[in-house]
Each structure stands twice: as structure tokens, then as C-alpha cells.
């Protein structure tokens, strides 16, 4: 790249940061434009400078001085020699020559962030306990390697500000006062074109350090573990916290759920669908299929590819992480421990009667069968999105490009839950304690109700739902 091209690319990068920052705070942007208009009219700019500068400082300074929240349980070499040795070896192979600290966090994440310790610049690795428990040592090495590599590729000031501005713009999508969706989408896609190559380069470096099989396995598994943690673990902790309890076997229950033959495939399919359905370009990483296809081929190097990294204080770390998760929820000072695996399968699921009552109310019907029939009719005549917005008005407040996917999720959730409940009332047992969607029909076959409703909505043909209506058992929901 010639010096002139490099300068032009840098200028475009800074302009992108400025544009995303401005659109992430549309109220400030409108205020600034109003001040400029006033300056043009009154021809006196000095009084307005004292108005503009504090407002700009209030919004720009946090972006420039942002520091990540320092969380996690410190991991010292004397306590966890195998894990800290792995981290050091990965750093050495990448030529990552900064002082390193490591902390275990409760959620399934991995990140390397610049920190300061006793006045010296260091980097801290934050590593999620769910990942250390389930991934092999080679896969953990691959994840750590790609985080170190990403820091090397994207550690300059302009890239860091680009990432923060992009994050602010994504967060602003949920605000009532927000920039036009078309402008947000264009900026997100423009910034993504700069970020995605960095992600792919970090993946390639991780493959060179730990082997392609390790990074490939890690990229697949981390998505499934993260989805399970937030779909199941967050719900368990929140629901139990309402009764003053906490799940002492949280990670054991997550392992059991991920071992279920129906949970992991469903989560993997949902992740693939999310990759493919990104109408505003929000995803900061390329789709998983793109990342896997772009990996260069390298053999594994030195780390165990069959079992996790040994943790000598696994019980202590697990107890600390569970309590850390509990502290993020509103629970009593001394919550009581309970075992998730000892509770009823439907303890954490939305009340079928409440969901059915809502569907009946919105459709104006007095029976479950009639309400589901109306939903089927809405699919047939392509008015299902209006029904979904009536069920959940929040979907109508999203930016236009995101409404279809949100409406689909609402309708599938409501109709699928009601059908599953009606069939269970009719004697169809669950095939899994972790999901009420998969049922065993009277002939011994399996029916994934959620998958069925998704297919019905996507195809516009509700025949399969209508075929189930005679099998429903009505129950009192009001």
C-alpha cells in the first residue's frame, strides 16, 4: 500500500468513527446542527461554543477514556499451573511479549484487554469457566491464540475507537430516538468491511499456533456453549433468584443439557440462522461458515486434543463463578442453594396457560384450538406479522429491517408453546427434560414442535398445524 493510499484509508477510518459516533447520539447531532443554524443566522459563534463544547465533551470523552470493567477470579501460576503454562506458551509462540495476567470469569467468553498493574502496562486474559470445563486443551489454546492475535492486528488507537463507536451505534438501535435505519445499516456495513479481515487474520494465526482442527472445533463449540448459557443458565439463575435461591449445580446442569441429543443441534441451527439473518449488518464477526472456510490448514501442535485443561481448584472456581452470577441478580443477601437437576423439568418454562390465554385474547377466541386455527389462517393469508405485533407490540418499535425476524420469533414462540402444551395435555410425553418442544407422538415418533412451526411460517403453508388441531386436548386457561 502506497503512503498516499494509506493516508486516504486512515482518513476514511477516522471519518467512519466520527460518523458512527454522531449517529449513535442523534440528540447531540441535532443539537449541534441547531447551534450551527443559529450561528449562521445570528453571525455570532462565540456564545454557542460554550454550549457545544460541554455537550460534545460529555459524549466524546467517555468514548476516548473507556476502560473495561475489571471482573473475574485471579488465576495464579501456583494455583493453576497447567492453565497458566498454556497461556504463556501460546503468547510465546505468537511473540506476544507483554506481561500477562489471567482471570476466570463466570460466562462463556474469552478476551484479552490492556490493563495496568502497579503502574506498568499489562494484558489480562479473561477466560470463561464454561469454556475451560468443556473445551479441550488444544481448543482453549486456539481461542487464547486468536485473542492475542486479534490484539496484535487491531490494537491500534484508530481501530479500537472504530470498534467502540460501532458498539455504541449498535446499542443505539434499541433507543426510541435513533438515526434512520438506512444510515445505520450503511455505516455498520462499511465498518464491518474493515473489521472482518482482522477477525479472519486472527483465526488464521490461531490455526498456525494450535492447529486448524483445534480452532475449528473451538469456533463451533463456543457458539453452542454461549447460546446454552444465555438461553438456559440466565433463566435458571433469574427464576431461582426470585424465590431467594441459587443453582449450586449450574455448570453441571449446563453439561447435562449440552449432552442432550436435542439441545445442541437446536442451538447450532439457531446460531446458523442468526448468521444468515442480519439485515442491518450488526454482526461484528463473519458468519461461522465463512470463518471455517477461510481457515488455512495446519497440524495440531503440542496441546491435548482429547481432554480439557486440568483445574486443580475446580470446585473453588465453580463456587465463585456461581456466586458471581447470583450477585448480578436481585436476590437476598443469603440465597439458598438448590440443585437444578433435582427440580421438575417445567420449573423454568413460561406457563403454557398464560401463553395460551394471551393468544386467545389477541385472536378473540375462547378455546386453544380456535386460537391456533386463527394463527394458522394468519400464516395462510400472510397476515401473521400483524398477529405477532399484536402479541408483542415491542416488535413494531424496532427498525424496519429487523421487524420481520422479530415477528417470526414471537409467532413461533407463542404458537409453538401452545401447541406443545396442548399435545402434552393430550398425553404426548416430552422427549427431553431441557426442552418442551420435542415430543413423542402416540406411534413413538418424534415431533419438534418449534421446528414444525418455523417451517409452517417460512413456507406459508399451515397444513401441518391444522392436522394437529384434532389431537388437542382443551384445558381451562382463564
Amino acid at each position: 500500500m502506497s503512503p498516499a493510499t494509506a493516508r486516504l484509508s486512515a482518513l476514511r477510518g477516522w471519518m467512519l468513527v466520527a460518523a458512527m459516533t454522531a449517529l449513535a447520539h442523534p440528540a447531540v447531532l441535532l443539537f449541534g446542527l441547531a447551534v450551527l443554524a443559529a450561528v449562521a443566522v445570528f453571525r455570532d459563534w462565540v456564545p454557542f461554543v460554550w454550549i457545544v463544547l460541554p455537550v460534545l465533551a460529555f459524549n466524546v470523552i467517555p468514548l476516548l477514556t473507556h476502560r473495561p470493567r475489571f471482573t473475574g477470579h485471579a488465576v495464579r501460576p501456583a494455583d493453576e499451573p497447567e492453565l497458566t503454562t498454556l497461556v504463556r506458551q501460546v503468547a510465546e509462540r505468537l511473540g506476544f511479549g507483554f506481561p500477562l495476567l489471567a482471570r476466570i470469569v463466570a460466562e462463556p467468553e474469552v478476551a484479552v484487554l490492556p490493563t495496568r498493574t502497579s503502574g506498568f502496562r499489562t494484558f489480562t486474559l479473561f477466560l470463561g469457566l464454561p469454556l475451560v470445563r468443556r473445551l479441550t486443551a488444544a481448543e482453549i489454546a486456539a481461542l487464547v491464540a486468536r485473542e492475542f492475535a486479534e490484539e496484535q492486528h487491531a490494537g491500534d488507537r484508530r481501530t479500537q475507537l472504530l470498534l467502540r463507536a460501532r458498539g455504541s451505534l449498535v446499542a443505539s438501535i434499541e433507543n426510541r430516538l435513533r438515526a434512520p435505519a438506512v444510515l445505520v445499516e450503511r455505516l455498520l456495513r462499511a465498518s464491518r468491511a474493515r473489521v472482518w479481515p482482522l477477525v479472519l487474520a486472527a483465526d488464521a494465526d490461531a490455526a498456525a499456533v494450535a492447529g486448524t482442527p483445534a480452532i475449528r472445533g473451538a469456533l463451533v463449540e463456543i457458539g453452542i456453549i454461549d447460546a446454552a448459557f444465555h438461553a438456559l443458565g440466565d433463566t435458571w439463575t433469574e427464576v431461582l433468584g426470585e424465590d431467594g435461591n441459587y443453582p449450586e449445580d449450574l455448570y453441571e446442569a449446563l453439561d447435562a443439557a449440552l449432552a442432550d441429543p436435542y439441545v445442541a443441534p437446536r442451538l447450532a441451527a439457531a446460531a446458523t440462522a442468526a448468521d444468515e439473518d442480519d439485515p442491518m449488518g450488526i454482526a461484528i464477526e463473519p458468519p461461522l461458515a465463512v470463518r471455517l472456510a477461510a481457515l488455512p490448514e495446519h497440524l495440531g501442535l503440542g496441546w491435548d486434543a482429547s481432554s480439557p485443561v486440568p483445574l486443580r481448584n475446580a470446585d473453588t472456581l465453580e463456587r465463585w463463578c456461581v456466586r458471581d452470577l447470583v450477585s448480578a441478580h436481585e436476590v437476598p443477601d443469603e440465597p439458598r442453594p438448590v440443585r437444578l437437576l433435582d427440580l421438575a423439568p417445567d420449573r423454568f418454562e413460561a406457563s403454557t396457560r398464560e401463553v395460551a390465554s394471551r393468544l386467545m385474547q389477541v385472536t378473540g377466541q375462547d378455546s386453544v384450538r380456535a386460537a391456533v386455527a386463527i394463527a394458522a389462517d394468519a400464516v395462510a393469508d400472510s397476515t401473521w406479522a400483524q398477529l405477532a405485533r399484536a402479541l408483542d407490540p415491542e416488535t413494531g418499535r424496532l427498525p424496519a429491517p429487523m421487524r420481520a425476524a422479530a415477528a417470526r420469533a414471537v409467532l413461533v414462540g407463542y404458537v409453538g408453546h401452545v401447541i406443545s402444551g396442548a399435545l402434552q395435555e393430550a398425553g404426548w410425553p416430552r422427549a427431553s427434560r431441557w426442552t418442551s418442544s420435542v415430543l413423542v407422538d402416540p406411534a413413538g415418533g418424534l415431533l419438534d414442535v418449534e421446528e414444525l412451526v418455523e417451517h409452517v411460517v417460512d413456507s406459508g403453508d399451515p397444513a401441518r398445524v391444522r392436522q394437529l388441531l384434532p389431537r388437542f386436548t382443551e384445558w381451562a386457561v382463564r
Side-chain angles (χ1 to χ4, degrees):
M1 183 183 295
S2 68
T5 303
R7 285 194 297 271
L8 180 60
S9 176
L11 177 60
R12 288 174 175 170
W14 285 116
M15 291 175 63
L16 190 55
V17 170
M20 288 192 295
T21 302
L23 288 189
H25 305 91
V28 177
L29 179 60
L30 292 174
F31 177 79
L33 293 175
V35 169
L36 289 177
V39 170
V41 171
F42 297 108
R43 308 299 179 115
D44 186 4
W45 57 271
V46 175
F48 297 104
V49 169
W50 298 108
I51 300 175
V52 173
L53 287 181
V55 175
L56 290 178
F58 181 77
N59 288 274
V60 174
I61 289 177
L63 180 66
L64 297 174
T65 61
H66 170 76
R67 293 293 182 270
R69 189 169 66 94
F70 206 63
T71 61
H73 187 285
V75 176
R76 298 177 177 83
D79 298 328
E80 301 294 347
E82 290 84 2
L83 180 59
T84 53
T85 297
L86 180 150
V87 172
R88 188 189 71 250
Q89 290 173 341
V90 170
E92 290 174 350
R93 291 188 184 183
L94 273 169
F96 196 82
F98 297 95
L100 291 171
L101 303 174
R103 301 181 76 86
I104 291 290
V105 293
E107 301 192 358
E109 62 182 69
V110 56
V112 173
L113 300 175
T115 52
R116 297 195 73 82
T117 304
S118 301
F120 294 96
R121 189 189 187 200
T122 59
F123 281 83
T124 299
L125 170 70
F126 297 88
L127 193 55
L129 183 62
L131 304 179
V132 180
R133 284 172 53 90
R134 292 195 57 84
L135 300 185
T136 67
E139 290 169 340
I140 290 295
L143 285 181
V144 172
R146 81 158 310 281
E147 292 303 315
F148 286 150
E150 191 166 274
E151 178 62 33
Q152 291 174 323
H153 288 294
D156 63 281
R157 189 63 170 167
R158 187 175 72 248
T159 303
Q160 291 298 317
L161 287 175
L162 177 71
L163 294 173
R164 292 176 194 169
R166 193 180 197 280
S168 296
L169 186 56
V170 170
S172 73
I173 291 174
E174 298 183 1
N175 297 339
R176 292 300 178 95
L177 178 60
R178 56 176 178 254
V182 63
L183 295 180
V184 173
E185 179 186 349
R186 288 182 180 178
L187 287 176
L188 290 178
R189 293 191 183 281
S191 62
R192 198 170 67 175
R194 291 175 173 267
V195 174
W196 279 16
L198 303 178
V199 174
L200 297 177
D203 290 347
D205 288 347
V209 168
T212 303
I215 186 60
R216 181 182 292 116
L219 291 177
V220 171
E221 288 298 317
I222 192 173
I224 296 173
I225 295 171
D226 182 74
F229 186 91
H230 292 294
L232 299 174
D234 286 351
T235 300
W236 297 338
T237 304
E238 182 177 351
V239 171
L240 289 178
E242 293 172 355
D243 297 330
N245 302 321
Y246 73 92
E248 64 176 346
D249 61 338
L250 173 69
Y251 295 104
E252 182 183 352
L254 279 171
D255 289 341
L258 286 168
D260 185 279
Y262 309 109
V263 171
R266 161 58 65 179
L267 294 173
T272 300
D275 275 348
E276 296 172 351
D277 185 16
D278 186 15
M280 293 189 66
I282 290 174
I284 198 170
E285 296 175 340
L288 178 60
V290 173
R291 297 178 71 179
L292 296 180
L295 289 173
E297 289 296 331
H298 293 282
L299 297 177
L301 297 171
W303 289 288
D304 188 351
S306 61
S307 58
V309 181
L311 291 177
R312 301 195 180 187
N313 298 281
D315 291 342
T316 299
L317 289 171
E318 183 174 329
R319 285 194 298 270
W320 185 92
C321 286
V322 170
R323 295 304 293 259
D324 185 58
L325 289 171
V326 171
S327 68
H329 297 270
E330 295 182 2
V331 297
D333 292 336
E334 292 298 330
R336 299 176 297 275
V338 298
R339 283 187 54 80
L340 287 163
L341 295 173
D342 294 338
L343 299 177
D346 60 354
R347 174 68 176 81
F348 303 96
E349 294 167 1
S351 167
T352 303
R353 283 164 171 75
E354 291 179 4
V355 175
S357 179
R358 176 64 177 163
L359 184 62
M360 290 162 59
Q361 176 188 18
V362 169
T363 57
Q365 303 301 307
D366 58 3
S367 73
V368 173
R369 184 180 292 114
V372 174
I374 291 295
D377 292 341
V379 170
D381 61 21
S382 301
T383 61
W384 60 266
Q386 292 92 310
L387 175 58
R389 283 196 292 273
L391 289 166
D392 184 358
E394 289 297 321
T395 60
R397 301 187 180 105
L398 294 171
M402 301 175 66
R403 290 174 192 164
R408 176 183 181 273
V410 168
L411 189 72
V412 169
Y414 270 89
V415 175
H417 199 88
V418 172
I419 291 176
S420 179
L423 293 176
Q424 288 184 67
E425 289 285 337
W428 295 33
R430 299 163 61 123
S432 167
R433 70 165 286 139
W434 305 108
T435 174
S436 63
S437 174
V438 184
L439 306 177
V440 181
D441 66 29
L446 292 177
L447 174 66
D448 188 330
V449 176
E450 185 175 342
E451 185 178 87
L452 181 149
V453 178
E454 288 175 342
H455 175 75
V456 163
V457 174
D458 293 342
S459 67
D461 180 5
R464 295 183 66 190
V465 166
R466 287 173 175 157
Q467 290 170 0
L468 292 173
L469 293 176
R471 298 173 177 263
F472 281 17
T473 293
E474 293 290 348
W475 71 93
V477 297
R478 291 179 176 171

